[in-house]
């Protein structure tokens, strides 16, 4: 047990992209630690495991009305975790697809942060955004994803400054190679997977719960004097 099970008792958390992948892992972890969790997103893929202990809600982060409807229906909010994200390998060189990726990964993050700010002000709450290793270096096949995740880091720093006056902390996690449906094609490719693990000092694919525990730390009182950071959760990949 990494954290006491009542760490977030009495608190409400909203996790976008919370119906699958890393988001579902985060929603499950926050619920396990006592929070009332809304795991919001598009319908999960067939066979996907729903986040345990969370309430599932529909959300399209590219639609302002969808965001306003969900956030406006909350009585309180202590934690916002932005996990909604897409990647379109190769296709992102098409400017239209590039724009779609930014609309979800970057503008969608800003849209939720802005909508949630009044509720988070009331609770001196916190935000955790989802960046990436590709926030720090380029990806030839994914210019939209890389640009959006670089933007998430700068957005996190900017909102940390802007929202500090409200007592709201804003941080990000930067996951490495995590075993989710988003990376399934790479996991299934022996050459690509071997190259990834060969560069990762800890020698394994990360799991959603690895990221979820880092998120829980950033939302906890232990991180009460931390804001504006992008915390790598990558098994050491960035150090090589």
């Amino acid at each position: 047990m990494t954290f006491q099970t009542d760490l977030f008792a009495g608190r409400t958390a909203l996790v976008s992209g919370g119906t699958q992948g890393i988001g579902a892992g985060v929603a499950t972890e926050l619920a396990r630690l006592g929070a009332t969790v809304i795991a919001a997103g598009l319908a999960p893929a067939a066979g996907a495991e729903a986040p345990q202990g969370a309430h599932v809600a529909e959300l399209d982060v590219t639609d302002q009305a969808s965001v306003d409807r969900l956030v406006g229906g909350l009585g309180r909010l202590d934690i916002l975790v932005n996990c909604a994200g897409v990647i379109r390998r190769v296709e992102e060189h098409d400017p239209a697809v590039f724009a779609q990726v930014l609309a979800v990964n970057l503008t969608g993050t800003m849209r939720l942060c802005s909508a949630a700010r009044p509720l988070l002000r009331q609770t001196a709450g916190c935000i955790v955004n989802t960046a990436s290793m590709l926030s720090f270096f380029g990806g030839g096949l994914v210019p939209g994803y890389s640009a959006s995740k670089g933007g998430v880091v700068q957005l996190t720093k900017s909102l940390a400054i802007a929202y500090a006056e409200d007592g709201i902390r804003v941080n990000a996690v930067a996951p490495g190679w995590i075993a989710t449906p988003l990376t399934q094609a790479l996991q299934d490719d022996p050459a690509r997977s071997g190259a990834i693990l060969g560069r990762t000092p800890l020698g394994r694919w990360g799991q959603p719960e690895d990221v979820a525990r880092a998120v829980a730390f950033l939302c906890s009182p232990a991180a009460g004097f931390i804001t504006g950071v992008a915390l790598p959760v990558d098994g050491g990949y960035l150090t090589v």
Side-chain angles (χ1 to χ4, degrees), residues 103-196:
V104 175
N105 297 356
L106 181 56
T107 307
T109 295
M110 177 59 189
R111 185 173 282 116
L112 261 176
C113 288
S114 180
R117 184 180 183 181
L119 283 174
L120 292 171
R121 181 188 297 121
Q122 296 175 20
T123 61
C126 65
I127 297 170
V128 179
N129 297 323
T130 304
S132 167
M133 287 178 300
L134 290 169
S135 300
F136 309 109
F137 51 79
L141 299 181
V142 287
Y145 186 85
S146 300
S148 68
K149 293 302 186 177
V152 165
V153 170
Q154 296 305 319
L155 176 64
T156 297
K157 294 177 181 179
S158 298
L159 296 186
I161 297 167
Y163 290 10
E165 65 186 39
D166 297 328
I168 301 168
R169 296 183 301 105
V170 186
N171 292 295
V173 287
W177 297 103
I178 308 299
T180 70
L182 204 67
T183 60
Q184 192 63 57
L186 299 176
Q187 297 173 59
D188 293 342
D189 183 331
R192 294 295 305 278
S193 182
I196 287 167

Side-chain angles (χ1 to χ4, degrees), residues 30-54:
L30 295 180
R32 186 181 70 81
L33 297 176
T36 298
V37 179
I38 300 94
L42 303 176
E49 190 170 330
Q52 299 176 21

Side-chain angles (χ1 to χ4, degrees), residues 221-236:
F225 199 53
I226 299 175
T227 196
V229 308
L231 175 65
V233 187
D234 66 350

Side-chain angles (χ1 to χ4, degrees), residues 51-68:
Q52 299 176 21
H55 306 281
V56 176
E58 185 176 349
L59 175 66
D60 179 355
V61 298
T62 68
D63 181 354
Q64 187 66 53
S66 177
V67 170
D68 290 343

